[in-house]
Amino acid sequence: MSYDDVEIEDMEWNEEIQAFTYPCPCGDLFQITKDDLKLGEEIARCPSCSLYITVIYNLEDFIGDSTKQQKKNLEPPKQQPIAVA
């Protein structure tokens, strides 16, 4: 059973470890990465104890970023006019 349910908005982004974090009662931090969230993972674990939390978030918020990037990469390059002599 999850220790708590936490909204993603209540978590902090940690640039150093590239993960969303939330304080754990043991003194460490629950952690979950953007890649985990994009895969639909909703469990943030504490690396120092056995506790974990359920992260409440909108999956589309995280899939949308990668989908936009993929579509951008799939678009053909814009045609450039050329002059023929």
Side-chain angles (χ1 to χ4, degrees), residues 2-3 8-9 16-18 23-26 29-30 32-33 36-37 46 48 54 59 61 64 71 73 75 78 84-85:
S2 176
Y3 170 73
I8 191 76
E9 293 84 9
E16 185 178 325
I17 61 173
Q18 293 290 299
C24 179
C26 78
L29 297 169
F30 295 106
I32 191 165
T33 66
D36 290 337
L37 295 168
C46 176
S48 297
T54 302
L59 181 60
D61 291 345
K71 286 182 181 177
N73 291 340
E75 289 178 4
K78 293 184 179 181
V84 179

Side-chain angles (χ1 to χ4, degrees), residues 2-61:
S2 176
Y3 170 73
D4 200 1
D5 293 345
V6 178
E7 299 274 344
I8 191 76
E9 293 84 9
D10 295 330
M11 300 182 78
E12 289 187 25
W13 175 250
N14 184 313
E15 194 67 37
E16 185 178 325
I17 61 173
Q18 293 290 299
F20 287 97
T21 61
Y22 189 78
C24 179
C26 78
D28 205 345
L29 297 169
F30 295 106
Q31 304 172 13
I32 191 165
T33 66
K34 284 183 181 179
D35 288 338
D36 290 337
L37 295 168
K38 287 178 186 177
L39 294 173
E41 180 62 60
E42 59 183 24
I43 301 298
R45 301 184 187 283
C46 176
S48 297
C49 71
S50 61
L51 293 178
Y52 61 91
I53 58 174
T54 302
V55 180
I56 301 168
Y57 71 103
N58 186 349
L59 181 60
E60 288 80 28
D61 291 345

